[in-house]
Amino acid sequence: MSDFYIGNHLSSSKGYAAMAKMEEKLGGNTFAFFTRNPRGGKAKDIDEKDIEKFLQLSEEYKLGKLVAHAPYTMNLCAAKEDIRAFSREMVRDDMRRMEYTPGNYYNFHPGSHVGQGVEKGIELIVEALNDILDENQSTTVLLETMAGKGSEVGRSFEELREIIDRVELNEKLGVCFDTCHVWDGGYDIVNNLDGVLDEFDRVIGLDRLCAVHFNDSMNDCGAHKDRHEKIGQGKIGLEAMKRVALHPALQGKPFILETPNDDDGYAAEIAMFKKWHLG
Ligand code: FE
Ligand code: FE
Ligand code: ZN
């Protein structure tokens, strides 16, 4: 197993080495985790022994790039100045912590403009990223494609493109393609996957597509709802999910399951993904 990377979202409560062992047990070779409590707040102190052990295991298990996830509550384009400042400090701290495991991905939801309008939202996100990103960082920051629930920014490829265009150090930026969100956002990956990926390439560029959040959806295309479903049990369905998994444009990228599953459910989805690839 070397030219594909599959894994799932894990609890980070026992540290990095424990996550690597857990993922190995589930059959995967990459994983995601929240950099801190998903509701925000203080991150656990970095345990250098744990990091050392993780880096060893990472080689032993041949793990692909990790796809860390910022907390949900973080909003770089909040209307309130104190929430924006707090979010910015969280990302800055996460960037510092990510350097202990160099060269990985840090995925975040661009933000919700909460009635200020998408243009203002984009302006605030760009301003924050220009403040935070450092030319010496080894982490690539991924903007996640969003379902367009409420006032989410990032509901179209154009919105993400605009953020990327306006960030100075945009060589540090990429995109995480969430299949449930893209579908809910109105991109028909069931009937026109090639067309959607062509559009992504035209608007953003496939070279920016770094990771995939691999989720089925409970809702119809364009519903702007964002309710994840198990692979093959939602409106995207098994055949379409399989076509995404095997699409030539997406090969070699980390695929992260964020499906409503227990450990056995994740192991089964990982096994299915591997079977698709190995035949
Ligand atoms: Fe997300
Ligand atoms: Fe996601
Ligand atoms: Zn989602």
Side-chain angles (χ1 to χ4, degrees):
M1 176 166 175
S2 57
D3 30 31
F4 56 88
Y5 296 96
I6 176 72
N8 58 298
H9 195 100
L10 293 175
S11 160
S12 60
S13 63
K14 295 197 175 90
Y16 283 92
M19 288 192 282
K21 285 179 190 158
M22 185 62 189
E23 195 57 57
E24 166 80 358
K25 205 171 122 195
L26 295 175
N29 58 357
T30 177
F31 59 86
F33 59 99
F34 285 119
T35 51
R36 60 188 69 221
N37 183 309
R39 310 237 121 253
K42 201 181 174 315
K44 278 203 317 190
D45 288 334
I46 288 280
D47 172 350
E48 304 220 20
K49 278 261 176 305
D50 177 44
I51 296 277
E52 204 179 302
K53 181 76 193 154
F54 166 75
L55 293 173
Q56 270 170 26
L57 290 172
S58 175
E59 276 198 22
E60 188 183 327
Y61 299 154
K62 299 189 168 43
L63 295 184
K65 284 180 191 284
L66 309 184
V67 190
H69 200 304
Y72 288 139
T73 44
M74 176 197 117
N75 186 6
L76 293 177
C77 61
K80 291 192 179 123
E81 158 70 32
D82 58 331
I83 299 178
R84 291 203 301 272
F86 179 67
S87 302
R88 224 184 257 203
E89 284 324 303
M90 259 190 315
V91 181
R92 210 191 299 281
D93 185 46
D94 281 348
M95 289 297 98
R96 188 183 59 76
R97 298 157 54 80
M98 289 290 294
E99 289 303 315
Y100 285 90
T101 56
N104 287 312
Y105 295 133
Y106 177 80
N107 171 75
F108 81 105
H109 299 178
S112 290
H113 64 69
V114 287
Q116 302 173 94
V118 68
E119 264 314 307
K120 182 70 184 173
I122 288 173
E123 187 187 311
L124 290 169
I125 294 161
V126 167
E127 195 185 291
L129 288 172
N130 277 333
D131 183 34
I132 295 162
L133 295 178
D134 183 314
E135 60 181 339
N136 295 315
Q137 73 181 65
S138 68
T139 303
T140 301
V141 173
L142 306 186
L143 306 165
E144 182 166 353
T145 57
M146 300 310 295
K149 193 176 60 178
S151 66
E152 278 172 351
V153 178
R155 61 196 278 149
S156 68
F157 299 157
E158 283 79 6
E159 289 182 12
L160 296 178
R161 162 70 189 271
E162 203 181 327
I163 296 170
I164 293 167
D165 273 353
R166 290 164 61 180
V167 169
E168 285 159 42
L169 287 173
N170 66 18
E171 69 270 24
K172 305 292 181 191
L173 289 182
V175 173
C176 176
F177 187 93
D178 186 309
T179 52
C180 167
H181 296 178
V182 165
W183 167 258
D184 278 33
Y187 294 96
D188 189 354
I189 56 173
V190 171
N191 298 299
N192 190 19
L193 177 60
D194 284 337
V196 171
L197 289 172
D198 280 350
E199 190 173 341
F200 188 102
D201 193 33
R202 211 165 47 243
V203 177
I204 303 178
L206 279 170
D207 54 331
R208 295 273 185 191
L209 202 166
C210 296
V212 177
H213 278 172
F214 197 57
N215 307 308
D216 209 328
S217 171
M218 288 186 185
N219 294 102
D220 291 322
C221 184
H224 303 297
K225 286 269 177 48
D226 190 5
R227 300 278 310 279
H228 300 189
E229 183 51 285
K230 295 180 177 125
I231 306 303
Q233 295 185 29
K235 300 280 182 148
I236 300 176
L238 194 63
E239 284 312 307
M241 292 304 292
K242 184 177 174 182
R243 284 195 295 274
V244 172
L246 297 177
H247 197 284
L250 303 175
Q251 293 321 292
K253 323 269 183 200
F255 277 64
I256 302 292
L257 297 159
E258 300 176 308
T259 44
N261 269 310
D262 56 15
D263 291 347
D264 289 344
Y266 278 130
E269 288 183 347
I270 289 166
M272 179 168 68
F273 185 96
K274 286 160 85 170
K275 197 163 161 240
W276 288 341
H277 279 84
L278 299 171

